[in-house]
Amino acid sequence: MSAVKTLEAVARDRVGKGAARAVRRQGHVPAVIYGGGQAPQAIAIDLIRTRTLIYAGGFKTTLFEINAGGKKTRAIPRDFQLDPVSGVPLHVDFLRVVAGQSITVEVPVHFVNDEAAPGIKQNGGTLNVVLHTLALDVAPDAIPEAIEIDLTGRQIGDAIHITDVKLPAGATFTGEPDATVANIVPPTVLGAEVEAEEAAIAEAQSAEAAEEAASEDAAEGEKKED
């Protein structure tokens, strides 16, 4: 379960594009907290802190306690915008969370112990990941940082379904009940075919070069005889 993180903020009394630009010029990111049966609250958060949190990963699965002017609100990021060129955060949307509420979040999947999977280690198979994240309906204070899937003993042809995955207590998967998370596929022969084709091309080019060299030698010999 992810720990609740503190996030300092400043309440904003003005909204709109002009106000947002002014906030950004001051080294902050405009943001809004909505939901929970309350009116939206406009805030500004530190740019460097926000950028660090976003690029550290797991931002959308982290529960924050936002302190804006002494008023503390628990919320989770629902969306954020980045500048398409610089990657600088432009805006963040937070969703209020209240006791007894569950929310849907995308939790990353981590595969472990691939060295103990005979299909991969001994037989050269490849792990084909179908779902890199799992959409879970879970209580805000029970959001896992990631879902780990153990590959120990997995063979080529094995498929890992959502029913094989151990989810946190109280969490439910919101997708198809029989969804495939990953499978182990046989080693591809494409690489060997490409190598053989490249070798054949190289051999043909070498033979062609040899023929050209022989023709040039013959032409030189004829010139000398003349």
Side-chain angles (χ1 to χ4, degrees):
M1 180 179 65
S2 300
V4 179
K5 293 185 178 180
T6 300
L7 186 61
E8 296 296 327
V10 177
R12 290 192 291 141
D13 56 3
R14 295 175 55 231
V15 295
K17 292 184 178 179
R21 284 194 292 267
V23 168
R24 295 186 188 105
R25 285 196 296 269
Q26 295 169 3
H28 289 79
V29 179
V32 63
I33 307 173
Y34 66 93
Q38 301 179 42
Q41 180 185 4
I43 61 173
I45 49 183
D46 181 72
L47 170 61
I48 296 176
R49 170 79 165 148
T50 305
R51 183 169 53 195
T52 299
L53 289 168
I54 290 175
Y55 285 102
F59 184 59
K60 288 186 176 181
T61 58
T62 301
L63 181 62
F64 290 95
E65 185 169 76
I66 302 173
N67 182 15
K71 180 182 178 181
K72 296 182 178 180
T73 305
R74 287 204 169 187
I76 187 168
R78 278 324 237 174
D79 197 12
F80 58 84
Q81 296 174 345
L82 301 177
D83 184 281
V85 177
S86 66
V88 172
L90 298 177
H91 191 274
V92 181
D93 290 336
F94 290 94
L95 174 67
R96 288 189 187 92
V97 297
V98 296
Q101 175 189 21
S102 64
I103 58 176
T104 300
V105 292
E106 293 285 342
V107 179
V109 178
H110 292 173
F111 296 90
V112 298
N113 297 327
D114 57 321
E115 71 283 353
I120 298 174
K121 188 67 174 180
Q122 282 82 34
N123 300 320
T126 301
L127 178 67
N128 176 48
V129 180
V130 180
L131 297 178
H132 292 272
T133 62
L134 300 181
L136 301 183
D137 190 67
V138 62
D141 57 356
I143 299 172
E145 293 183 2
I147 298 297
E148 285 195 352
I149 297 179
D150 191 351
L151 297 176
T152 299
R154 294 289 181 175
Q155 300 282 356
I156 289 177
D158 283 356
I160 302 169
H161 300 281
I162 190 64
T163 51
D164 302 319
V165 180
K166 184 178 180 181
L167 300 178
T172 56
F173 178 64
T174 64
E176 295 294 328
D178 59 347
T180 299
V181 181
N183 50 33
I184 299 179
V185 297
T188 177
V189 297
L190 180 60
E193 292 177 351
V194 170
E195 289 180 1
E197 183 177 350
E198 289 178 347
I201 292 173
E203 184 176 352
Q205 290 176 338
S206 177
E208 184 178 347
E211 289 180 4
E212 289 179 357
S215 298
E216 290 176 358
D217 289 343
E220 285 293 330
E222 291 176 358
K223 287 182 180 179
K224 289 180 180 180
E225 290 179 359
D226 294 341

